[in-house]
Amino acid sequence: MQGLMMDTPLTIPSIAEHVAKFHSDREIVSVTLDNPRHRYSWGEAITRSKRLANALEKLGLEKGDRLATIAWNDYRHLEIYYGVSGSGHICHTINPRLFPEQLIFVINHAEDRLIFVDPMFVPLLEKIAEKIGRVEGFVILTDMASMPETSLPNVYCYETLIEAESADYVWPELDERSASALCYTSGTTGDPKGVLYSHRSTILHAYASVGPDAIALSSMDAVLPVVPLFHVNAWGIPYSAGIVGAKLILPGPKMGDGEALYELLDSEDATLALGVPTVWLALLQYTEKAGKRLDKLQRTVVGGAAVPRSMIEAFRDKHGVELRQGWGMTEMSPLGTANCLKAGLEDLTPDEKLDLATKAGRGIFGCELRIVDDDGNELPWDGVAYGALQVRGPWICSDYYKLEGNAGSHSEDGWFDTGDVATIDPQGYMAITDRTKDVIKSGGEWISSIELENTAMGHPAVAEAAVIGVAHPKWTERPLLIVVLVENSEVSKEELLAFFKGKVADWWTPDDVAFVDELPHTATGKVKKIELRRQFAEFELSA
Ligand code: ADP
């Protein structure tokens, strides 16, 4: 017998309608190139999205067409999220820091018909214009007064384009399973792969992520996503903030600058901020140096890479801010786990709580987890056994765009292989020990680079650390610690290595230390291990 409940579709226009009715006066603040503090309301954002939807129709674009963005986090980008996906097109967010060949690849692979671009990224497109000849037009995200000179063909000014349109627009009735957005993985190995989100997956992910044990987002929050709108839809914040009616603070191009971030968080009364660990390093270094405290911020959600214990401690003890770790991937919309305390664990000591907080967290409802060995056998949740982490759920990709059946990314029984290696403890807390491809294999045994990095980061003189495996005649591979020191501090190699004593198994201790001025990062702020392995390919261990 079927249930007797309405089958109303889960689509992005339904968020736009909800916003317009319930929280149209809630504020959105943006930093843009042409305005250091742009302010308007969610209601105006939705109205302008409707104008954009009308403009797209006039330009002859059809449902299902891919329309790309190369832009920072600001209000115009947000309007495109709603205007493009809401009118049945697919919003393809492009990471501006991709290599030119990758940019060309993703634009051509997606067959983008139109590209919305921030003025500062226009030169990037001019350089590759000849190789992306199928793109029919470029919309520059500014007003007429700030339009740059450009050699790009068929250029439109965003403000002029939407000004000419009516705000009367009726969102179409869309199939909830139709595609809404496209995001390519960074493609550290091989070509980038396209993850094609649907309206349904987007809404379900938004519902799940606002929950109190996930991101815990409510209408009372003022949320600042430092995570870019071009990376996994800024972890879904444009949608989740819309369904709850949170104030949105969009940092524009100033995302990596500790001082600018502090000023924005403080002056806009941000209660929640989200981003990868490196951006918080910059913020914490700034507050330390300037003697400032994050008085208003209540929570940060940090993920995308392992979160050092010292960072969780600094937020908690110096600023009174809860750092909640999350784990996920582009392929997972992205949220899979979140780390918050579970009933029964309240009496842990502050130190034990810190230890627990370094884990990736428990699966949020809707994301199933399992760890398997090389033969696909499920491993126990004992916190010790580690294996390939696989996931399943309605906001996890079932395949890659135009690679259907050929990516080798899924198990025979339909689970997605994350490429991560993890343990899961009896309480359900998952901890990532490595990326499969970053695992260090010493004498046939695995060493967790993440645990070593976390340990090194606990040393007061270490600002950032990465551990990679380098060739060793006897053990095949041994760990090399690469560190960036805190400004004006000194520590010897011997001292650093001695710091590992008692914190990790003796045989895990790195064989050598390399001091560098900076580590290479990806566009999303993760340490580029592939680049480090290239740089240190010939490194000879001295220990
Ligand atoms: P990319 O594919 O460009 O690296 P993703 O954001 O999809 O971008 O990266 C997902 C990967 O990031 C995960 O598979 C995992 O290796 C890593 N990651 C994400 N969150 C965490 C976390 N909390 N701890 C450790 N690693 C993480």
Side-chain angles (χ1 to χ4, degrees):
M1 192 187 294
Q2 298 268 291
L4 289 171
M5 305 308 281
M6 293 184 195
D7 209 4
T8 51
L10 305 173
T11 59
I12 290 168
S14 65
I15 307 182
E17 296 286 8
H18 182 76
V19 166
K21 292 203 174 101
F22 290 94
H23 0 264
S24 67
D25 56 350
R26 197 70 166 119
E27 199 177 26
I28 297 176
V29 180
S30 305
V31 177
T32 65
L33 285 175
D34 50 24
N35 188 342
R37 216 49 79 90
H38 174 277
R39 294 175 187 280
Y40 74 167
S41 66
W42 266 100
E44 286 169 272
I46 298 302
T47 302
R48 282 166 50 96
S49 303
K50 290 182 166 186
R51 288 183 193 276
L52 173 61
N54 275 324
L56 299 177
E57 206 164 281
K58 216 168 264 177
L59 287 173
L61 295 158
E62 286 170 24
K63 287 200 179 68
D65 281 345
R66 274 75 63 209
L67 313 183
T69 64
I70 307 188
W72 293 115
N73 288 13
D74 67 29
Y75 67 102
R76 293 188 182 110
H77 204 169
L78 180 79
E79 292 163 8
I80 297 168
Y81 262 59
Y82 281 95
V84 167
S85 303
S87 56
H89 306 95
I90 298 169
C91 183
H92 170 205
T93 50
I94 299 179
N95 183 338
R97 296 197 204 123
L98 291 179
F99 295 124
E101 311 82 69
Q102 291 178 322
L103 276 177
I104 297 165
F105 175 86
V106 300
I107 292 168
N108 289 335
H109 189 265
E111 299 172 70
D112 294 322
R113 288 189 65 186
L114 199 65
I115 300 183
F116 294 89
V117 57
D118 267 351
M120 71 180 286
F121 297 127
V122 165
L124 201 69
L125 287 179
E126 285 171 342
K127 281 194 202 106
I128 60 167
E130 279 178 13
K131 304 221 167 102
I132 52 167
R134 272 187 298 186
V135 177
E136 294 162 43
F138 298 88
V139 183
I140 303 187
L141 295 166
T142 189
D143 55 19
M144 219 42 203
S146 308
M147 276 293 278
E149 284 280 312
T150 176
S151 58
L152 289 174
N154 302 325
V155 166
Y156 303 87
C157 165
Y158 180 77
E159 290 298 333
T160 310
L161 186 73
I162 67 166
E163 240 166 52
E165 299 300 329
S166 152
D168 278 337
Y169 179 82
V170 180
W171 299 109
E173 294 218 349
L174 301 170
D175 174 351
E176 65 174 17
R177 289 186 167 77
S178 63
S180 60
L182 176 64
C183 187
Y184 282 78
T185 61
S186 57
T188 37
T189 50
D191 286 328
K193 295 198 278 292
V195 179
L196 194 57
Y197 308 106
S198 67
H199 285 264
R200 179 182 142 86
S201 70
T202 304
I203 303 288
L204 290 175
H205 178 265
Y207 273 135
S209 61
V210 298
D213 282 357
I215 289 178
L217 191 65
S218 89
S219 66
M220 304 301 278
D221 279 307
V223 56
L224 191 156
V226 190
V227 53
L229 285 166
F230 59 73
H231 192 67
V232 214
N233 301 325
W235 299 352
I237 290 296
Y239 311 115
S240 50
I243 68 174
V244 300
K247 171 177 170 178
L248 202 49
I249 309 161
L250 299 169
K254 294 274 179 188
M255 307 208 283
D257 176 335
E259 181 172 2
L261 207 51
Y262 176 84
E263 291 302 329
L264 198 58
L265 287 166
D266 192 59
S267 58
E268 295 300 333
D269 298 334
T271 56
L272 170 66
L274 307 94
V276 295
T278 28
V279 303
W280 306 124
L281 274 184
L283 178 71
L284 290 172
Q285 274 165 14
Y286 168 74
T287 52
E288 186 75 28
K289 217 155 112 189
K292 301 254 169 94
R293 193 170 184 274
L294 294 158
D295 287 324
K296 297 165 189 160
L297 193 66
Q298 296 165 6
R299 305 181 312 283
T300 53
V301 172
V302 186
V307 183
R309 192 179 196 271
S310 49
M311 180 177 288
I312 306 170
E313 198 174 14
F315 269 117
R316 185 186 73 179
D317 298 346
K318 293 191 178 153
H319 301 279
V321 172
E322 181 200 348
L323 185 156
R324 193 171 278 194
Q325 182 163 179
W327 163 85
M329 306 180 72
T330 303
E331 288 88 337
M332 300 170 63
S333 304
L335 205 59
T337 68
N339 191 337
C340 59
L341 214 58
K342 149 178 175 179
L345 301 177
E346 302 90 335
D347 294 335
L348 293 180
T349 64
D351 233 34
E352 287 167 335
K353 283 184 184 160
L354 266 186
D355 286 338
L356 187 70
T358 62
K359 297 191 173 193
R362 288 176 288 133
I364 52 174
F365 174 70
C367 176
E368 292 176 78
L369 305 174
R370 73 179 185 190
I371 42 174
V372 299
D373 66 17
D374 289 346
D375 301 321
N377 302 312
E378 243 189 290
L379 293 165
W381 290 22
D382 58 9
V384 180
Y386 49 83
L389 178 62
Q390 299 185 336
V391 290
R392 189 167 70 169
W395 58 81
I396 291 159
C397 74
S398 59
D399 220 323
Y400 290 100
Y401 180 50
K402 291 199 208 161
L403 266 180
E404 284 84 341
N406 290 315
S409 49
H410 289 72
S411 69
E412 268 172 26
D413 55 349
W415 289 65
F416 172 68
D417 196 340
T418 63
D420 285 328
V421 179
T423 60
I424 306 178
D425 72 18
Q427 301 278 1
Y429 287 81
M430 183 272 283
I432 303 278
T433 59
D434 255 311
R435 279 289 244 187
T436 318
K437 54 184 187 287
D438 293 338
V439 157
I440 300 168
K441 238 178 171 180
S442 171
E445 298 278 351
W446 282 6
I447 294 178
S448 163
S449 63
I450 291 183
E451 204 166 325
L452 295 178
E453 286 156 8
N454 259 330
T455 306
M457 296 280 286
H459 192 286
V462 174
E464 209 178 355
V467 174
I468 57 167
V470 292
H472 187 282
K474 179 165 174 203
W475 302 109
T476 322
E477 256 187 346
R478 286 293 302 160
L480 165 69
L481 171 65
I482 305 164
V483 291
V484 179
L485 292 183
V486 173
E487 226 177 295
N488 298 327
S489 59
E490 269 180 46
V491 62
S492 70
K493 174 173 118 181
E494 289 71 26
E495 260 176 88
L496 259 187
L497 293 179
F499 186 70
F500 284 85
K501 189 102 194 136
K503 298 190 177 77
V504 298
D506 278 349
W507 66 274
W508 275 31
T509 301
D511 279 25
D512 212 337
V513 185
F515 295 92
V516 294
D517 292 337
E518 59 177 342
L519 293 174
H521 290 107
T522 65
T524 45
K526 300 182 199 200
V527 173
K528 242 193 220 163
K529 292 243 175 125
I530 197 158
E531 174 61 27
L532 282 178
R533 278 194 285 269
R534 205 174 297 140
Q535 278 176 25
F536 288 90
E538 308 295 321
F539 190 86
E540 292 200 12
L541 297 163
S542 66

